Amino acid sequence: MLNQLRDLDLQLLRLFVSVVENGGFSAAQGELGVGQSTISTQMAKLETRLGFRLCERGKAGFRLTPKGEQVLQATRRLFEAIELFKGEAQGMADKLLGELRIGLSEALDRQVLERLGAAIGRFRQRNQAVQIELLSAMPAELERRLLQDQLHLAIGYFSGNQAALALQPLFREDQALYCGRAHRLFDARRIDAEALLEEDGVRHPYRFIQADEPWQAARSSARSEQVEGTLAFVLSGAHIGYLPRHIAAPWIERGQLRELQASELGFTVQFHLASHRGRQPGEAQLAFIEDLRASFADLGMVS
């Protein structure tokens, strides 16, 4: 009985179909390129594997048995299914599949979002059927999600203390110190270091870059984990604090913010593309990284 289908069985079934389509053993010799005795031997092997006769052959000519008729139909369906599988498998070999979960730092610059959009556009032009999810969160949360395999990639500024994370430089962001219109320093002609020592600054308990800030608040009654909160504190006129320059720009144009000692107190933050070192990246992830870096390189943003 045929309990398992082996390569040899497929070869025998192909011979069987050829014999039927040619109308007998003798007529099939030319197509198969083997002698009649070999064909007869192979057919006998197939019948042994199946456990019943497939055809009658003799002086009366070649004729399928009822079971042979059914095997012929089943064999043709089998070969059609094999061809369909081969076509689908070939398609999958050339196609990116699966999903990508990508984390983004908060309040990214317009240019950064444009480059991210361009990368997604590049990726969508590939032969792919990938579900992409974008999630915005604070850097510490992005790190946590990467470590817990909830994200494949993340774009942000990171502590650098997680050995499990691989970091690729992607772009830089300029930060500066600001005060609001109602603050006493807003209209000051000259602002020296001593004048800033007594100011109430906004603290950022989550920010990994705080140690890099040239101005450190000696006292603070304001805390914010997000850029929007820092901006609100600064606009109040009661506090000064660091903001990304692209966030502050429209408020400066409206006369609501002033940058304090731009040349001395401004600094630059390096943003990275982060992934988990211990996870083998899939084809879709590798392709998206390639498209992402190409998009940022167009603007010379990759260091």
Side-chain angles (χ1 to χ4, degrees):
M1 296 295 292
L2 190 62
N3 295 321
Q4 293 183 341
L5 195 62
R6 303 176 300 195
D7 288 344
L8 177 60
D9 298 319
L10 292 176
Q11 295 174 15
L12 295 175
L13 287 169
R14 291 188 187 281
L15 177 139
F16 167 60
V17 172
S18 179
V19 168
V20 173
E21 291 178 346
N22 282 277
F25 292 12
S26 178
Q29 292 180 82
E31 180 177 310
L32 294 172
V34 294
Q36 185 171 342
S37 61
T38 300
I39 295 174
S40 180
T41 300
Q42 297 300 313
M43 284 291 292
K45 285 183 179 179
L46 179 58
E47 289 176 331
T48 300
R49 287 281 292 155
L50 293 171
F52 51 82
R53 289 183 65 81
L54 294 170
C55 60
E56 303 293 344
R57 54 266 196 189
K59 293 181 179 180
F62 177 84
R63 181 174 59 85
L64 288 176
T65 65
K67 289 184 178 180
E69 292 281 2
Q70 291 192 16
V71 169
L72 177 63
Q73 295 177 22
T75 300
R76 284 173 170 161
R77 290 194 299 269
L78 171 63
F79 290 155
E80 287 175 1
I82 289 174
E83 290 303 313
L84 179 62
F85 170 80
K86 287 166 60 178
E88 291 181 351
Q90 180 60 41
M92 286 186 283
D94 300 330
K95 193 170 191 176
L96 300 173
L97 301 172
E99 63 177 358
L100 281 175
R101 297 185 300 278
I102 303 168
L104 305 176
S105 184
E106 58 168 347
L108 293 173
D109 185 19
R110 175 186 59 82
Q111 275 195 325
V112 172
L113 293 175
E114 288 177 352
R115 292 300 93 194
L116 176 60
I120 294 173
R122 286 172 182 260
F123 184 79
R124 289 305 191 197
Q125 291 175 8
R126 294 176 179 267
N127 182 17
Q128 53 78 38
V130 177
Q131 179 73 30
I132 300 177
E133 178 182 358
L134 298 179
L135 176 146
S136 294
M138 294 175 293
E141 177 67 8
L142 294 179
E143 283 197 353
R144 184 187 70 79
R145 287 176 177 264
L146 281 169
L147 293 171
Q148 294 181 0
D149 290 332
Q150 296 175 10
L151 293 174
H152 295 99
L153 298 168
I155 297 173
Y157 52 89
F158 301 100
S159 66
N161 298 326
Q162 296 289 351
L165 297 184
L167 303 178
Q168 302 179 47
L170 198 59
F171 63 90
R172 294 184 176 91
E173 179 182 85
D174 291 332
Q175 300 256 341
L177 187 64
Y178 296 93
C179 71
R181 185 171 183 80
H183 196 277
R184 68 180 187 86
L185 296 178
F186 190 86
D187 294 319
R189 292 186 177 181
R190 181 175 177 276
I191 301 174
D192 55 31
E194 289 186 6
L196 293 173
L197 287 177
E198 300 303 318
E199 297 304 324
D200 191 334
V202 183
R203 290 194 180 277
H204 312 99
Y206 75 96
R207 289 177 68 172
F208 305 132
I209 60 175
Q210 189 168 353
D212 298 327
E213 296 174 351
W215 178 78
Q216 299 288 330
R219 64 186 182 90
S220 175
S221 62
R223 290 165 59 91
S224 175
E225 293 189 351
Q226 296 176 313
V227 170
E228 289 80 2
T230 300
L231 176 60
F233 277 128
V234 175
L235 287 171
S236 74
H239 309 276
I240 65 175
Y242 276 101
L243 291 166
R245 280 200 167 100
H246 70 269
I247 295 294
W251 296 94
I252 289 179
E253 291 177 5
R254 291 195 288 267
Q256 298 298 308
L257 290 182
R258 175 183 176 179
E259 187 171 336
L260 302 174
Q261 294 189 357
S263 59
E264 294 88 358
L265 300 181
F267 70 108
T268 299
V269 178
Q270 178 69 63
F271 276 63
H272 291 87
L273 175 64
S275 58
H276 198 303
R277 292 184 187 277
R279 308 294 181 265
Q280 183 67 31
E283 293 177 330
Q285 181 174 331
L286 292 173
F288 188 81
I289 291 173
E290 179 182 326
D291 293 334
L292 189 67
R293 292 185 63 81
S295 291
F296 279 91
D298 289 344
L299 287 181
M301 301 181 79
V302 177
S303 64

